[in-house]
Amino acid sequence: MRRSTIVRAMGCLAAAFGLTVGFTGQASAVTNSQITYTDNVRCISGLSETSAGSNGGGFSKSWTFGYNRLSNGYCQIADQYTGWLSVERHLLAFNMSTGVWWKCAGYGPARNLAPAAGVGLEGNFNRLCGGDVWYATNTAAYGWDGVAWRGNWVVSGNHWVPRVGLAGSTSLPPAPKISAAEAIARGEVRLGSPTGPKAGAAQLQAPPRVPGTAPVVPPSVPDGSYRTITR
């Protein structure tokens, strides 16, 4: 297990909206980016991504971004808002024998160490919840407005991670009939295992704690490649 690291970088994120086609007919990454909150001065955006990763064992990414809001109501993507942001990442897995989505890992919540335009949690999860499994990422994207955390959760699409080898070494099984987002909304996601207790949407997608009580440096986690990045 490696110790968590915090890396700071400047610049804008060039995020891919939509899907990139891989060799198996599956997208090499399934990405969902949505605005989770707006007020008169700021827009908060969340990005969830699940992909094969560098070794084919799976990669999960969660980011929160802040943008200035223009007087015409539009979010100015090129003009990043600097403030307190929070991110949390849940890794969800689909058990095909029972037809159940379950939360197999969670990271955060974490916030930026100083006012910034983005904060993220990402890493290879190395078949953490098994191979030959559909995975999805659930991201909490929140910003602090001086009174409360404002935002919402964003769920990626489903991505197949085979038992061994790279994604190109196996054919895809049928996708889950219910998406991770639908299972969350219905309160059908189970905690800890496919037979664990069900979690309601409010329980699974709670807002973060207030600044000062959220962990500044998240703890080490089993996947060994967990990173917090502040932009």
Side-chain angles (χ1 to χ4, degrees):
M1 180 183 299
R2 301 177 185 174
R3 188 174 64 182
S4 301
T5 59
I6 296 182
V7 180
R8 299 186 185 187
M10 298 300 294
C12 299
L13 176 72
F17 293 90
L19 305 179
T20 304
V21 177
F23 291 108
T24 63
Q26 177 181 219
S28 60
V30 285
T31 303
N32 186 14
S33 182
Q34 296 182 11
I35 299 295
T36 61
Y37 175 73
T38 61
D39 58 21
N40 291 332
V41 298
R42 65 179 67 81
C43 301
I44 305 300
S45 173
L47 181 146
S48 273
E49 179 179 301
T50 312
S51 66
S54 59
N55 61 3
F59 179 84
S60 176
K61 175 191 293 186
S62 294
W63 276 87
T64 300
F65 296 100
Y67 304 104
N68 287 315
R69 192 175 189 191
L70 304 178
S71 58
N72 61 10
Y74 288 99
C75 299
Q76 178 68 355
I77 302 302
D79 185 10
Q80 292 184 309
Y81 170 84
T82 299
W84 293 107
L85 303 172
S86 176
V87 66
E88 185 171 354
R89 175 165 66 97
H90 291 174
L91 184 63
L92 306 180
F94 183 75
N95 184 272
M96 290 192 293
S97 62
T98 60
V100 167
W101 281 98
W102 59 288
K103 177 187 171 184
C104 64
Y107 313 104
R111 61 176 174 85
N112 40 325
L113 302 178
V119 63
L121 302 175
E122 59 181 58
N124 290 312
F125 55 82
N126 301 318
R127 300 179 181 87
L128 181 65
C129 308
D132 289 347
V133 170
W134 290 98
Y135 285 91
T137 299
N138 192 20
T139 297
Y142 282 78
W144 182 255
D145 68 354
V147 177
W149 287 108
R150 310 291 185 182
N152 211 329
W153 289 70
V154 179
V155 189
S156 76
N158 313 326
H159 194 281
W160 174 253
V161 175
R163 188 175 299 277
V164 292
L166 298 177
S169 65
T170 184
S171 59
L172 292 177
K177 292 182 179 180
I178 179 174
S179 69
E182 290 173 315
I184 291 169
R186 297 180 187 179
E188 296 179 357
V189 174
R190 295 185 178 270
L191 301 177
S193 76
T195 59
K198 289 184 178 181
Q203 177 186 358
L204 198 64
Q205 299 189 319
R209 298 181 292 273
V210 299
T213 60
V216 174
V217 180
S220 299
V221 295
D223 69 12
S225 57
Y226 173 79
R227 296 187 297 158
T228 299
I229 301 176
T230 302
R231 297 184 85 88

PDB file of all heavy atoms in Angstrom, residues 89-110:
ATOM      1  N   ARG A  89     -15.539  10.280  -3.926  1.00  0.00           N
ATOM      2  CA  ARG A  89     -15.620   9.281  -4.992  1.00  0.00           C
ATOM      3  C   ARG A  89     -16.092   7.950  -4.434  1.00  0.00           C
ATOM      4  O   ARG A  89     -15.527   7.423  -3.474  1.00  0.00           O
ATOM      5  CB  ARG A  89     -14.242   9.104  -5.661  1.00  0.00           C
ATOM      6  CG  ARG A  89     -14.195   8.000  -6.710  1.00  0.00           C
ATOM      7  CD  ARG A  89     -12.936   8.123  -7.575  1.00  0.00           C
ATOM      8  NE  ARG A  89     -11.702   7.900  -6.858  1.00  0.00           N
ATOM      9  CZ  ARG A  89     -11.028   6.744  -6.830  1.00  0.00           C
ATOM     10  NH1 ARG A  89     -11.498   5.689  -7.460  1.00  0.00           N
ATOM     11  NH2 ARG A  89      -9.893   6.646  -6.176  1.00  0.00           N
ATOM     12  N   HIS A  90     -17.147   7.392  -5.039  1.00  0.00           N
ATOM     13  CA  HIS A  90     -17.614   6.041  -4.724  1.00  0.00           C
ATOM     14  C   HIS A  90     -17.372   5.148  -5.940  1.00  0.00           C
ATOM     15  O   HIS A  90     -17.702   5.525  -7.068  1.00  0.00           O
ATOM     16  CB  HIS A  90     -19.114   6.033  -4.415  1.00  0.00           C
ATOM     17  CG  HIS A  90     -19.471   6.724  -3.138  1.00  0.00           C
ATOM     18  ND1 HIS A  90     -20.783   6.934  -2.742  1.00  0.00           N
ATOM     19  CD2 HIS A  90     -18.701   7.251  -2.151  1.00  0.00           C
ATOM     20  CE1 HIS A  90     -20.798   7.564  -1.586  1.00  0.00           C
ATOM     21  NE2 HIS A  90     -19.556   7.769  -1.206  1.00  0.00           N
ATOM     22  N   LEU A  91     -16.834   3.980  -5.703  1.00  0.00           N
ATOM     23  CA  LEU A  91     -16.675   2.981  -6.740  1.00  0.00           C
ATOM     24  C   LEU A  91     -17.796   1.964  -6.591  1.00  0.00           C
ATOM     25  O   LEU A  91     -17.944   1.325  -5.545  1.00  0.00           O
ATOM     26  CB  LEU A  91     -15.316   2.288  -6.620  1.00  0.00           C
ATOM     27  CG  LEU A  91     -14.966   1.279  -7.715  1.00  0.00           C
ATOM     28  CD1 LEU A  91     -14.871   1.963  -9.073  1.00  0.00           C
ATOM     29  CD2 LEU A  91     -13.654   0.571  -7.381  1.00  0.00           C
ATOM     30  N   LEU A  92     -18.609   1.835  -7.640  1.00  0.00           N
ATOM     31  CA  LEU A  92     -19.737   0.920  -7.629  1.00  0.00           C
ATOM     32  C   LEU A  92     -19.455  -0.267  -8.546  1.00  0.00           C
ATOM     33  O   LEU A  92     -18.817  -0.112  -9.592  1.00  0.00           O
ATOM     34  CB  LEU A  92     -21.011   1.632  -8.092  1.00  0.00           C
ATOM     35  CG  LEU A  92     -21.386   2.918  -7.347  1.00  0.00           C
ATOM     36  CD1 LEU A  92     -22.657   3.504  -7.925  1.00  0.00           C
ATOM     37  CD2 LEU A  92     -21.534   2.672  -5.847  1.00  0.00           C
ATOM     38  N   ALA A  93     -19.914  -1.441  -8.157  1.00  0.00           N
ATOM     39  CA  ALA A  93     -19.732  -2.656  -8.953  1.00  0.00           C
ATOM     40  C   ALA A  93     -21.083  -3.346  -9.129  1.00  0.00           C
ATOM     41  O   ALA A  93     -21.961  -3.252  -8.263  1.00  0.00           O
ATOM     42  CB  ALA A  93     -18.742  -3.597  -8.279  1.00  0.00           C
ATOM     43  N   PHE A  94     -21.228  -4.051 -10.255  1.00  0.00           N
ATOM     44  CA  PHE A  94     -22.485  -4.739 -10.554  1.00  0.00           C
ATOM     45  C   PHE A  94     -22.278  -6.237 -10.451  1.00  0.00           C
ATOM     46  O   PHE A  94     -21.401  -6.810 -11.112  1.00  0.00           O
ATOM     47  CB  PHE A  94     -22.962  -4.378 -11.963  1.00  0.00           C
ATOM     48  CG  PHE A  94     -24.286  -4.975 -12.331  1.00  0.00           C
ATOM     49  CD1 PHE A  94     -25.462  -4.468 -11.813  1.00  0.00           C
ATOM     50  CD2 PHE A  94     -24.359  -6.055 -13.202  1.00  0.00           C
ATOM     51  CE1 PHE A  94     -26.697  -5.016 -12.158  1.00  0.00           C
ATOM     52  CE2 PHE A  94     -25.581  -6.612 -13.549  1.00  0.00           C
ATOM     53  CZ  PHE A  94     -26.748  -6.081 -13.022  1.00  0.00           C
ATOM     54  N   ASN A  95     -23.073  -6.878  -9.599  1.00  0.00           N
ATOM     55  CA  ASN A  95     -23.008  -8.327  -9.440  1.00  0.00           C
ATOM     56  C   ASN A  95     -23.986  -8.969 -10.423  1.00  0.00           C
ATOM     57  O   ASN A  95     -25.201  -8.839 -10.275  1.00  0.00           O
ATOM     58  CB  ASN A  95     -23.358  -8.717  -7.998  1.00  0.00           C
ATOM     59  CG  ASN A  95     -23.221 -10.199  -7.750  1.00  0.00           C
ATOM     60  OD1 ASN A  95     -24.154 -10.963  -7.967  1.00  0.00           O
ATOM     61  ND2 ASN A  95     -22.053 -10.613  -7.292  1.00  0.00           N
ATOM     62  N   MET A  96     -23.458  -9.661 -11.428  1.00  0.00           N
ATOM     63  CA  MET A  96     -24.311 -10.162 -12.500  1.00  0.00           C
ATOM     64  C   MET A  96     -25.195 -11.322 -12.053  1.00  0.00           C
ATOM     65  O   MET A  96     -26.294 -11.510 -12.580  1.00  0.00           O
ATOM     66  CB  MET A  96     -23.451 -10.564 -13.702  1.00  0.00           C
ATOM     67  CG  MET A  96     -22.822  -9.372 -14.414  1.00  0.00           C
ATOM     68  SD  MET A  96     -22.094  -9.787 -16.010  1.00  0.00           S
ATOM     69  CE  MET A  96     -20.742 -10.835 -15.483  1.00  0.00           C
ATOM     70  N   SER A  97     -24.757 -12.105 -11.078  1.00  0.00           N
ATOM     71  CA  SER A  97     -25.560 -13.254 -10.659  1.00  0.00           C
ATOM     72  C   SER A  97     -26.821 -12.825  -9.906  1.00  0.00           C
ATOM     73  O   SER A  97     -27.843 -13.515  -9.948  1.00  0.00           O
ATOM     74  CB  SER A  97     -24.731 -14.194  -9.791  1.00  0.00           C
ATOM     75  OG  SER A  97     -24.310 -13.548  -8.604  1.00  0.00           O
ATOM     76  N   THR A  98     -26.755 -11.677  -9.221  1.00  0.00           N
ATOM     77  CA  THR A  98     -27.919 -11.195  -8.468  1.00  0.00           C
ATOM     78  C   THR A  98     -28.575  -9.989  -9.112  1.00  0.00           C
ATOM     79  O   THR A  98     -29.667  -9.588  -8.697  1.00  0.00           O
ATOM     80  CB  THR A  98     -27.514 -10.831  -7.029  1.00  0.00           C
ATOM     81  OG1 THR A  98     -26.511  -9.792  -7.073  1.00  0.00           O
ATOM     82  CG2 THR A  98     -26.958 -12.038  -6.296  1.00  0.00           C
ATOM     83  N   GLY A  99     -27.898  -9.385 -10.110  1.00  0.00           N
ATOM     84  CA  GLY A  99     -28.438  -8.191 -10.757  1.00  0.00           C
ATOM     85  C   GLY A  99     -28.454  -6.975  -9.843  1.00  0.00           C
ATOM     86  O   GLY A  99     -29.338  -6.129  -9.934  1.00  0.00           O
ATOM     87  N   VAL A 100     -27.423  -6.864  -8.975  1.00  0.00           N
ATOM     88  CA  VAL A 100     -27.396  -5.822  -7.944  1.00  0.00           C
ATOM     89  C   VAL A 100     -26.154  -4.949  -8.099  1.00  0.00           C
ATOM     90  O   VAL A 100     -25.043  -5.465  -8.297  1.00  0.00           O
ATOM     91  CB  VAL A 100     -27.402  -6.464  -6.536  1.00  0.00           C
ATOM     92  CG1 VAL A 100     -27.066  -5.452  -5.458  1.00  0.00           C
ATOM     93  CG2 VAL A 100     -28.748  -7.103  -6.260  1.00  0.00           C
ATOM     94  N   TRP A 101     -26.350  -3.622  -8.010  1.00  0.00           N
ATOM     95  CA  TRP A 101     -25.221  -2.694  -7.871  1.00  0.00           C
ATOM     96  C   TRP A 101     -24.885  -2.573  -6.387  1.00  0.00           C
ATOM     97  O   TRP A 101     -25.780  -2.541  -5.535  1.00  0.00           O
ATOM     98  CB  TRP A 101     -25.586  -1.315  -8.408  1.00  0.00           C
ATOM     99  CG  TRP A 101     -25.536  -1.190  -9.901  1.00  0.00           C
ATOM    100  CD1 TRP A 101     -26.590  -1.265 -10.764  1.00  0.00           C
ATOM    101  CD2 TRP A 101     -24.371  -0.974 -10.697  1.00  0.00           C
ATOM    102  NE1 TRP A 101     -26.155  -1.112 -12.058  1.00  0.00           N
ATOM    103  CE2 TRP A 101     -24.799  -0.920 -12.057  1.00  0.00           C
ATOM    104  CE3 TRP A 101     -23.017  -0.810 -10.412  1.00  0.00           C
ATOM    105  CZ2 TRP A 101     -23.911  -0.714 -13.113  1.00  0.00           C
ATOM    106  CZ3 TRP A 101     -22.129  -0.612 -11.456  1.00  0.00           C
ATOM    107  CH2 TRP A 101     -22.570  -0.568 -12.787  1.00  0.00           C
ATOM    108  N   TRP A 102     -23.577  -2.491  -6.097  1.00  0.00           N
ATOM    109  CA  TRP A 102     -23.170  -2.322  -4.709  1.00  0.00           C
ATOM    110  C   TRP A 102     -21.965  -1.393  -4.625  1.00  0.00           C
ATOM    111  O   TRP A 102     -21.173  -1.281  -5.554  1.00  0.00           O
ATOM    112  CB  TRP A 102     -22.877  -3.662  -4.043  1.00  0.00           C
ATOM    113  CG  TRP A 102     -21.798  -4.505  -4.674  1.00  0.00           C
ATOM    114  CD1 TRP A 102     -21.868  -5.188  -5.849  1.00  0.00           C
ATOM    115  CD2 TRP A 102     -20.497  -4.751  -4.142  1.00  0.00           C
ATOM    116  NE1 TRP A 102     -20.689  -5.854  -6.089  1.00  0.00           N
ATOM    117  CE2 TRP A 102     -19.827  -5.606  -5.056  1.00  0.00           C
ATOM    118  CE3 TRP A 102     -19.828  -4.344  -2.982  1.00  0.00           C
ATOM    119  CZ2 TRP A 102     -18.518  -6.045  -4.849  1.00  0.00           C
ATOM    120  CZ3 TRP A 102     -18.532  -4.798  -2.770  1.00  0.00           C
ATOM    121  CH2 TRP A 102     -17.897  -5.639  -3.697  1.00  0.00           C
ATOM    122  N   LYS A 103     -21.869  -0.696  -3.510  1.00  0.00           N
ATOM    123  CA  LYS A 103     -20.742   0.207  -3.262  1.00  0.00           C
ATOM    124  C   LYS A 103     -19.608  -0.603  -2.670  1.00  0.00           C
ATOM    125  O   LYS A 103     -19.695  -1.094  -1.556  1.00  0.00           O
ATOM    126  CB  LYS A 103     -21.151   1.330  -2.305  1.00  0.00           C
ATOM    127  CG  LYS A 103     -19.997   2.272  -1.944  1.00  0.00           C
ATOM    128  CD  LYS A 103     -20.418   3.258  -0.853  1.00  0.00           C
ATOM    129  CE  LYS A 103     -19.222   4.046  -0.345  1.00  0.00           C
ATOM    130  NZ  LYS A 103     -19.595   4.941   0.779  1.00  0.00           N
ATOM    131  N   CYS A 104     -18.522  -0.724  -3.439  1.00  0.00           N
ATOM    132  CA  CYS A 104     -17.418  -1.558  -2.966  1.00  0.00           C
ATOM    133  C   CYS A 104     -16.266  -0.737  -2.402  1.00  0.00           C
ATOM    134  O   CYS A 104     -15.378  -1.300  -1.760  1.00  0.00           O
ATOM    135  CB  CYS A 104     -16.925  -2.466  -4.080  1.00  0.00           C
ATOM    136  SG  CYS A 104     -16.212  -1.615  -5.490  1.00  0.00           S
ATOM    137  N   ALA A 105     -16.234   0.567  -2.611  1.00  0.00           N
ATOM    138  CA  ALA A 105     -15.173   1.400  -2.045  1.00  0.00           C
ATOM    139  C   ALA A 105     -15.620   2.852  -2.056  1.00  0.00           C
ATOM    140  O   ALA A 105     -16.441   3.255  -2.880  1.00  0.00           O
ATOM    141  CB  ALA A 105     -13.871   1.243  -2.834  1.00  0.00           C
ATOM    142  N   GLY A 106     -15.079   3.630  -1.129  1.00  0.00           N
ATOM    143  CA  GLY A 106     -15.368   5.054  -1.067  1.00  0.00           C
ATOM    144  C   GLY A 106     -14.135   5.825  -0.635  1.00  0.00           C
ATOM    145  O   GLY A 106     -13.372   5.358   0.215  1.00  0.00           O
ATOM    146  N   TYR A 107     -13.924   7.004  -1.221  1.00  0.00           N
ATOM    147  CA  TYR A 107     -12.750   7.827  -0.932  1.00  0.00           C
ATOM    148  C   TYR A 107     -13.203   9.271  -0.703  1.00  0.00           C
ATOM    149  O   TYR A 107     -13.952   9.827  -1.485  1.00  0.00           O
ATOM    150  CB  TYR A 107     -11.760   7.771  -2.098  1.00  0.00           C
ATOM    151  CG  TYR A 107     -11.494   6.375  -2.587  1.00  0.00           C
ATOM    152  CD1 TYR A 107     -12.059   5.912  -3.772  1.00  0.00           C
ATOM    153  CD2 TYR A 107     -10.695   5.512  -1.846  1.00  0.00           C
ATOM    154  CE1 TYR A 107     -11.823   4.622  -4.210  1.00  0.00           C
ATOM    155  CE2 TYR A 107     -10.461   4.219  -2.285  1.00  0.00           C
ATOM    156  CZ  TYR A 107     -11.022   3.774  -3.468  1.00  0.00           C
ATOM    157  OH  TYR A 107     -10.806   2.495  -3.901  1.00  0.00           O
ATOM    158  N   GLY A 108     -12.718   9.887   0.385  1.00  0.00           N
ATOM    159  CA  GLY A 108     -13.098  11.241   0.700  1.00  0.00           C
ATOM    160  C   GLY A 108     -14.232  11.255   1.720  1.00  0.00           C
ATOM    161  O   GLY A 108     -14.531  10.229   2.330  1.00  0.00           O
ATOM    162  N   PRO A 109     -14.868  12.450   1.911  1.00  0.00           N
ATOM    163  CA  PRO A 109     -14.687  13.656   1.115  1.00  0.00           C
ATOM    164  C   PRO A 109     -13.348  14.346   1.390  1.00  0.00           C
ATOM    165  O   PRO A 109     -12.794  14.226   2.480  1.00  0.00           O
ATOM    166  CB  PRO A 109     -15.853  14.546   1.552  1.00  0.00           C
ATOM    167  CG  PRO A 109     -16.149  14.097   2.957  1.00  0.00           C
ATOM    168  CD  PRO A 109     -15.878  12.631   2.977  1.00  0.00           C
ATOM    169  N   ALA A 110     -12.862  15.044   0.385  1.00  0.00           N
ATOM    170  CA  ALA A 110     -11.641  15.824   0.502  1.00  0.00           C
ATOM    171  C   ALA A 110     -11.888  17.184  -0.120  1.00  0.00           C
ATOM    172  O   ALA A 110     -12.702  17.327  -1.030  1.00  0.00           O
ATOM    173  CB  ALA A 110     -10.481  15.119  -0.207  1.00  0.00           C
TER     174      ALA A 110
END
